[in-house]
C-alpha cells in the first residue's frame, strides 16, 4: 500500500515508500516515507476498552453518541500532509485515505484480509478474468454515480499519471460488463486482483473533475475536504450523503507538525487526539501519561538503503556487499529504533510469509568480511583510516529524512570503521526526490511495504523499470526469475521463486536491508474506537471513532 509515500514531514506513510513512506515512505510503500507501514513493536495500549467502545459506536445511532461526548472535532497531528489534492500526485492518495476522504474498491483489514469497500463483491471467473460488482448506492461527493465507467476512468487515470500506482495496475485491463459490473483481465494467471486494487494508490476519484481545488475535487469518502493549505492544514467535514456508515465525529482537522516534540506535546496536552509518526526516542514521555497512550503495531516493511548504481564506487558488487557485511543491524535497531524492531538482512525478511528470509545472505555482522571484499576490489586502507583507489577516497553521501537522522548517524559510524568516508545529509524528502531526478545522490533510505502480491512488489523494486528501483538495478538473472514468477500460478512455487529473487538481489546488493521501520502513533485516552493496523498510515480515521466530553 509503499513510498513509503508514503514523504517527509507530517503524516505517515512514508511511505514508500514509501515512501517510500513511500513509503517511502515511500514509504510507502511505499510508501517511501509514506509507506510507513512500519513494524514498531513495543508496549502498546490495552485495547479492550477501545474495542468495547467501537462495538458500542457501531450499535448506536449518531444522535446517541453525540449526546454522550464532544464529537464535534477530531484533531490529527502528522509529520506531513499532502502538498496537493489530486490523488495521482505523490502520496496524496495516502493522506486522503488515511483521513477518511478517499476509498478504493477494496480495503485490507487489520487481520490482513482483503474486504470489499466501494466494490460489493469480486469473483475469479477464469485464470485471467475477474468480475467485480460495484455498490449501486455509492456516490461521489458531487452525487455522480460510481458506476463501471467512472471506476474505469479513475483507474486508467491513476495508471497513466501515478508512478506509484503502476505496479498495481499495469498488468490489469478494465472493461465494462454492465453499469455496475467491472471485468478485469490479467496478464498472468491467478493474479490477486482485489489485493492489487486495495492499495491507496488505486483510490477511486472522479476523473472528469478538476482536483486542483476543494471546490472541484470529487472523491467518495465519509469526510469532504472543506479547507486546505498545502503542507499546513486540511479540514474535513462530514459527508452527509455518504453511502456507508456515517461517522459520529462531525469534523476532522489534519495538521502538519513537522517537529516531533511539538507533535508529542500536542497529544499529551490534549490539543490533538492523534499524533502520527512518533519517534522511538519519545516513548518515555508516554509511559506514565494519563492523557495519551502509544499504539505500536508491527508492520510488514523494510527500512532500506537504496544505492545509486550509476556512481563509480558502487559499480563493483564487492563494494556493495562490503557495505552490507559492515553493518551491525542489532546495534542499529537499538541506536535508531530504541529496540522497537528486529534486524532483517533481506528485503522480504519483514514479511511474515517469508520469515526464513529474515537472516539470509548476511547472516551476521562481519567487518572482517567487509574489509576483505574492499581489499579485493582494490580499495586500500590509508594511514588516516580511509580507503583509496587510484588516488580517490571511497565516499558515500547518505540522504535521510523524517525520523531517520539517528539511523543515518549510526550507519555513518559503522561504515567509517571499515574505511568508508561517509557523510549524512538530513533534510526534507523533497531534497531526495530532486537529487534522484538529477542523478546527484549516492544513497538514500526508505521503507516500502513488503505486504502484497509477490510479483507486483518485487517488480516494483527490482525490475529495470520498477517505480522503486531508484538505483537503476538491471540484473539478467533477477529479470529471468521475475519472468518465471510472472508465469507461475502455483502458490508454493511462487513463494519459492520470490525467495530466490529476494536472495539474488541481496547477494547483488543494489539495496541494503536493515529492519522494519517502527510505526508508532499516540492516541488520546478520550478517543475510542481507534483501530491498531499494520497499515496505520492509511487507517487512522474510521466511522467508529468517538470522543469523551472535554
Amino acid at each position: 500500500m509503499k513510498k513509503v509515500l508514503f514523504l517527509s514531514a507530517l503524516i505517515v506513510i512514508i511511505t514508500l515508500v514509501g515512501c517510500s513512506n513511500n513509503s517511502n515512505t515511500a514509504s510507502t510503500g511505499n510508501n517511501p516515507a509514506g509507506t510507513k507501514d512500519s513494524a514498531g513493536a513495543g508496549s502498546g495500549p490495552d485495547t479492550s476498552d477501545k474495542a468495547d467502545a467501537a462495538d458500542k459506536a457501531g450499535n448506536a445511532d449518531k444522535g446517541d453518541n453525540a449526546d454522550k461526548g464532544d464529537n464535534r472535532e477530531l484533531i490529527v497531528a502528522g509529520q506531513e500532509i499532502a502538498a496537493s489534492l489530486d490523488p495521482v500526485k505523490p502520496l496524496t492518495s495516502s493522506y486522503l485515505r488515511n483521513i477518511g476522504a478517499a476509498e478504493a474498491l477494496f480495503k485490507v483489514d487489520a487481520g490482513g484480509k482483503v474486504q470489499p469497500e466501494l466494490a460489493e463483491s469480486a469473483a475469479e471467473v477464469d485464470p485471467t478474468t475477474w468480475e467485480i460488482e460495484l455498490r449501486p448506492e455509492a456516490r461521489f461527493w458531487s452525487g455522480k454515480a460510481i458506476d463501471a465507467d467512472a471506476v474505469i476512468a479513475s483507474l486508467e487515470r491513476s495508471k497513466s499519471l501515478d508512478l506509484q500506482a503502476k505496479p498495481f495496475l499495469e498488468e490489469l485491463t478494465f472493461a465494462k460488463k454492465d453499469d455496475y459490473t467491472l471485468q478485469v483481465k490479467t496478464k498472468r494467471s491467478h493474479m490477486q486482483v482485489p489485493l492489487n486494487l486495495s492499495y491507496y494508490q488505486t483510490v477511486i476519484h472522479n476523473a472528469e473533475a478538476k482536483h486542483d481545488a476543494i471546490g472541484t475535487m470529487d472523491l467518495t469518502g465519509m469526510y469532504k475536504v472543506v479547507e486546505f493549505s498545502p503542507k499546513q492544514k486540511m479540514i474535513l467535514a462530514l459527508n452527509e450523503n455518504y453511502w456507508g456508515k456515517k461517522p459520529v465525529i462531525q469534523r476532522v482537522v489534519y495538521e502538519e507538525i513537522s517537529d516531533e516534540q511539538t507533535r508529542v506535546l500536542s497529544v499529551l496536552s490534549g490539543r490533538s487526539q492523534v499524533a502520527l509518526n512518533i519517534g522511538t526516542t519519545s516513548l518515555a514521555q508516554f509511559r506514565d501519561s494519563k492523557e495519551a497512550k502509544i499504539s505500536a503495531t508491527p508492520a510488514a516493511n523494510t527500512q532500506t538503503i537504496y544505492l545509486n548504481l550509476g556512481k563509480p564506487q558502487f559499480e563493483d558488487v564487492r563494494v556493495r556487499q562490503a557495505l552490507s557485511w559492515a553493518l551491525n543491524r542489532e546495534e542499529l535497531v537499538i541506536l535508531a529504533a530504541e529496540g522497537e524492531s528486529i534486524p532483517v538482512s533481506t528485503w522480504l525478511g519483514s514479511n511474515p510469509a517469508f520469515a526464513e528470509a529474515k537472516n539470509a545472505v548476511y547472516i551476521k555482522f562481519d567487518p572482517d568480511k567487509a574489509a576483505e571484499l574492499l581489499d579485493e576490489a582494490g580499495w586500500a586502507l590509508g594511514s588516516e583510516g580511509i580507503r583509496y583507489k587510484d588516488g580517490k577516497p571511497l565516499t558515500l553521501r547518505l540522504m535521510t529524512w523524517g525520523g531517520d537522522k539517528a539511523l543515518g548517524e549510526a550507519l555513518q559510524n559503522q561504515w567509517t570503521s571499515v574505511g568508508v568516508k561517509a557523510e549524512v545529509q538530513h533534510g526534507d524528502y523533497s531534497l531526495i526526490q530532486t537529487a534522484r531526478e538529477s542523478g546527484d545522490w549516492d544513497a538514500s533510505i526508505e521503507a516500502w511495504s513488503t505486504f502484497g502480491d509477490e510479483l507486483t512488489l518485487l517488480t516494483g523494486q527490482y525490475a529495470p523499470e520498477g517505480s522503486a528501483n531508484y538505483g537503476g538495478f538491471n540484473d539478467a538473472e533477477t529479470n529471468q526469475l521475475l519472468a518465471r514468477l510472472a508465469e507461475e500460478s502455483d502458490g508454493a512455487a511462487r513463494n519459492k521463486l520470490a525467495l530466490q529473487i529476494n536472495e539474488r538481489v541481496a547477494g547483488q546488493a543494489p539495496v541494503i536491508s536493515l529492519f522494519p521501520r517502527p510505526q508508532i502513533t499516540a492516541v488520546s485516552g478520550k478517543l475510542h474506537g481507534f483501530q491498531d493496523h499494520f497499515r496505520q498510515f492509511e487507517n487512522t480515521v474510521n466511522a467508529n471513532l468517538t470522543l469523551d466530553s472535554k
Side-chain angles (χ1 to χ4, degrees), residues 306-316 320 441-442 469-475 508-511:
Y306 292 80
L307 300 175
N308 183 358
L309 303 191
K311 292 291 186 176
Q313 65 268 43
F314 302 137
E315 291 178 356
D316 192 322
R320 304 195 303 266
W441 64 287
D442 293 343
N469 185 0
Y470 302 120
F473 180 61
N474 189 353
D475 175 61
Q508 292 297 298
V511 301

Side-chain angles (χ1 to χ4, degrees), residues 169 233 310 438 444 490 543:
L169 298 176
K233 181 186 290 187
S438 68
S444 63
D490 178 73

Side-chain angles (χ1 to χ4, degrees), residues 310-386:
K311 292 291 186 176
Q313 65 268 43
F314 302 137
E315 291 178 356
D316 192 322
V317 65
R318 292 171 295 187
V319 173
R320 304 195 303 266
Q321 291 170 340
L323 291 173
S324 193
W325 283 111
L327 297 182
N328 184 337
R329 289 170 172 82
E330 290 186 357
E331 182 179 78
L332 292 176
V333 168
I334 295 170
L335 295 177
E338 293 288 316
E340 297 292 331
S341 191
I342 55 172
V344 298
S345 64
T346 71
W347 189 70
L348 278 180
S350 65
N351 186 329
F354 300 99
E356 60 266 53
K358 189 182 303 179
N359 297 312
V361 186
Y362 305 98
I363 57 177
K364 64 177 181 177
F365 165 50
D366 196 338
D368 293 336
K369 177 72 171 177
E372 179 183 336
L373 286 166
L374 291 172
D375 287 339
E376 291 177 6
W379 292 94
L381 192 64
S383 57
E384 77 280 31
I386 299 299

Side-chain angles (χ1 to χ4, degrees), residues 398-468:
L398 176 65
M399 302 184 75
T400 62
W401 66 278
D404 291 337
K405 185 178 181 181
L407 174 58
E409 293 170 350
L411 289 165
Q412 180 184 32
N413 290 335
Q414 293 189 8
W415 280 328
T416 299
S417 69
V418 295
V420 179
K421 187 178 181 180
E423 64 173 283
V424 178
Q425 180 182 341
H426 186 77
D428 190 86
Y429 187 75
S430 62
L431 297 176
I432 296 177
Q433 291 177 307
T434 301
R436 284 190 187 133
E437 290 170 1
S438 68
D440 183 22
W441 64 287
D442 293 343
S444 63
I445 299 177
E446 288 191 17
W448 281 77
S449 172
T450 59
F451 171 82
D453 176 75
E454 304 96 328
L455 179 63
T456 301
L457 293 168
L458 292 169
T459 298
Q461 293 286 323
Y462 306 123
E465 302 303 320
S467 60

Side-chain angles (χ1 to χ4, degrees), residues 13 37 53 62 123 159 207 366 414 479 544:
I13 82 59
D37 273 47
K62 176 176 160 183
K159 184 193 294 189
D366 196 338
Q414 293 189 8
N479 295 340
N544 290 327

Side-chain angles (χ1 to χ4, degrees), residues 106-116 194-195 198 451 533-535:
F106 300 91
K107 192 174 183 70
V108 177
D109 65 21
K113 295 182 179 179
V114 179
Q115 305 287 359
L195 178 61
S198 73
F451 171 82
H533 201 290
F534 70 97
R535 288 164 75 168

